[in-house]
Each structure stands twice: as structure tokens, then as C-alpha cells.
Amino acid sequence: GARRRAGWLARLAGDASAPPWVRGYACTGLGLLGAHGHRDALVGCLEEGASVDLRRDAATALGLLGGAGEALRAAFGTAVDPGELGELAVALGRARPQGLAEEMALLLADPSQPLPRRVAAAHVLGAAADPRGTATGARLAGLLAYREWIPGLHDVMRLP
């Protein structure tokens, strides 16, 4: 049944000789099956040096399962691709590791950080506030983007 399929998917997700897209589908399958017992296989796919698509799929699956907050935090710290940052943001927000809100608030307020990273921090805060979706994060990200792109808006809105 599902337990046997989850074991097969976990082995496939961890198989470095398999193409990254195949491993990504295996990660997604683990998340959809709710295979909490195979979280380590997904965390292994977040390793630095793995393909962006594989890391994004592993983050999506971990977002569905919850947990693995420290691994997600580490992956978020090394991510550059906006799509990957987005998936990691939702998963990290749902995992809610200790000190997350403070860390993301500092990142969001730091003008020296690249805009995609700051937008992702807004999505993390939104997902942490509302684990069912990212509407709050999307609003925060939109406000941040407008602040950066429309001079003077931050004065009107009193954003940090």
C-alpha cells in the first residue's frame, strides 16, 4: 500500500544517480502521501549543490509535511533562485522554528539584502501567521515591492 510506495519514493528521492526531475517527483509524492517517516530523505535533497528544481520540490514536500525547520532555515540561507526562495519560504513559515519571526523581520527590514530575499522573508512571515496559505505573505511582499519601486511610498505607509 501507501507505506510501501512511500519507501520506494524515499529511495528514489535519495538516489543521486537518478535525474533531478525524477527525484523531485519522488519528493512531491512523499509530501502528498504524508510520509512523515521519510522526512530525512527530503532533507537530504535540500543539500547545497543539489539542483534548484530538486531543492524546490523537496521544500514543497516538507511544506506539506511540516517540521524540519532547521534544515529549511539552512537551505533558505543559501538559496538565490526566486522560485526556490518562494517554496522554502512557505515551508519554513509552516515549520516555525524557534526565533523565526525575529530573524525574518530583521531580514525584511535590511535594505542591503537583495529584494527577492526580502520578499521571501515576507512570505515566511505570512506562512507562519497563516499556515493555510500565503495571503498575508503576499500582501507583505507586495508592500515591500511597492516600497522599493515607488519612491516615497514607505513614508506614506510608515514601513520599516
Side-chain angles (χ1 to χ4, degrees):
R3 190 174 265 168
R4 191 176 73 194
R5 283 190 295 268
W8 179 78
L9 288 171
R11 285 189 299 280
L12 186 57
D15 182 359
S17 68
W21 64 270
V22 171
R23 295 175 69 196
Y25 280 130
C27 289
T28 302
L30 288 169
L32 291 172
L33 283 174
H36 295 277
H38 297 286
R39 193 175 280 124
D40 288 346
L42 296 169
V43 168
C45 293
L46 289 176
E47 292 177 2
E48 195 171 357
S51 80
V52 169
D53 292 333
L54 177 58
R55 285 171 49 111
R56 188 173 52 232
D57 291 337
T60 301
L62 286 166
L64 292 169
L65 295 177
E70 293 309 316
L72 289 163
R73 178 182 266 151
F76 185 86
T78 62
V80 176
D81 177 76
E84 180 186 4
L85 278 167
E87 291 299 332
L88 285 164
V90 172
L92 186 55
R94 289 180 177 166
R96 296 187 200 135
Q98 182 101 16
L100 179 68
E102 296 81 6
E103 179 184 344
M104 291 300 122
L106 288 172
L107 180 65
L108 184 60
D110 183 354
S112 71
Q113 291 291 325
L115 185 59
R117 184 164 292 286
R118 293 173 65 209
V119 168
H123 280 286
V124 171
L125 291 170
D130 183 9
R132 296 166 296 153
T134 60
T136 305
R139 287 187 194 106
L140 286 170
L143 289 173
L144 174 64
Y146 281 124
R147 176 185 174 209
E148 294 295 317
W149 295 326
I150 301 174
L153 184 67
H154 65 283
D155 294 330
V156 174
M157 302 191 81
R158 292 184 174 72
L159 294 172

